[in-house]
């Protein structure tokens, strides 16, 4: 894949490693501070050196934290408050890097300030509704359950 095609996908790096939910595609090479890995169901585990990564997992760094991830020929450094998505795409792996919205506690996806009543979660979308008080009530659009903040 050309650099232009990789850029058009939004990838920081693309590698032809074929991955699955059962087969690791790479690993955390180094980490300092709070580094967590989230699987597709938002279950987290520590992002320690040597920890294997599979397709569609996320690596999230906290404040004053950093990590280096190796996926095939891609070596990606993450500074504080960054999120890396190891996305299976076009027969390979696309590394997508973005700003993390807030430090992440294990098992909890941070809420991003809402625009028009919607917010992006680390794993989905939430809807804010007027609960009659000073604070809105947040609902997970995935299962409709209320979210406590």
């Amino acid at each position: 894949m050309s650099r232009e095609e990789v850029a058009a996908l939004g990838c920081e790096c693309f590698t032809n490693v074929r991955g699955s939910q059962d087969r690791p595609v790479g690993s955390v090479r180094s980490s300092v501070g709070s580094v967590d890995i989230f699987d597709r169901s938002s279950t987290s585990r520590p992002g320690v050196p040597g920890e294997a990564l599979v397709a569609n997992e996320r690596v999230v760094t906290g404040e004053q934290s950093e990590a280096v991830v190796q996926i095939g020929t891609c070596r990606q450094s993450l500074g504080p408050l960054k999120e890396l998505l190891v996305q299976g795409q076009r027969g390979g792996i696309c590394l997508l890097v973005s700003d993390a919205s807030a430090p992440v506690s294990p098992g909890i996806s941070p809420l991003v300030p809402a625009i028009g009543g919607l917010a992006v979660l680390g794993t989905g979308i939430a809807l804010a509704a007027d609960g009659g008080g000073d604070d809105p009530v947040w609902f997970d659009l995935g299962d409709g359950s209320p979210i406590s903040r």
Side-chain angles (χ1 to χ4, degrees):
M1 189 175 288
S2 72
R3 286 184 189 259
E4 291 80 20
E5 290 172 310
V6 169
L9 291 173
C11 304
E12 290 292 323
C13 187
F14 183 88
T15 183
N16 288 321
V17 171
R18 297 207 185 267
S20 70
Q21 296 302 92
D22 304 328
R23 187 170 149 240
V25 295
S27 66
V28 175
R29 303 296 288 179
S30 66
S31 65
V32 174
S34 175
V35 179
D36 293 302
I37 299 169
F38 292 86
D39 65 18
R40 289 173 55 126
S41 65
S42 291
T43 302
S44 69
R45 64 186 190 276
V48 296
E51 188 68 26
L53 297 168
V54 298
N56 301 314
E57 286 190 313
R58 294 177 300 121
V59 179
V60 180
T61 58
E63 291 181 359
Q64 300 177 7
S65 302
E66 56 188 52
V68 175
V69 172
Q70 183 82 40
I71 308 289
T73 58
C74 295
R75 185 177 188 94
Q76 184 66 50
S77 296
L78 301 171
L81 298 175
K82 293 294 181 183
E83 180 173 327
L84 169 73
L85 174 60
V86 181
Q87 183 174 15
Q89 195 172 93
R90 295 193 181 187
I93 298 292
C94 172
L95 300 184
L96 298 164
V97 178
S98 62
D99 291 332
S101 59
V104 176
S105 299
I108 299 173
S109 296
L111 292 175
V112 176
I115 298 174
L118 289 177
V120 177
L121 294 170
T123 59
I125 298 176
L127 172 68
D130 184 2
D134 292 335
D135 296 322
V137 177
W138 291 89
F139 294 93
D140 182 337
L141 295 182
D143 64 6
S145 64
I147 301 170
S148 61
R149 289 183 39 152

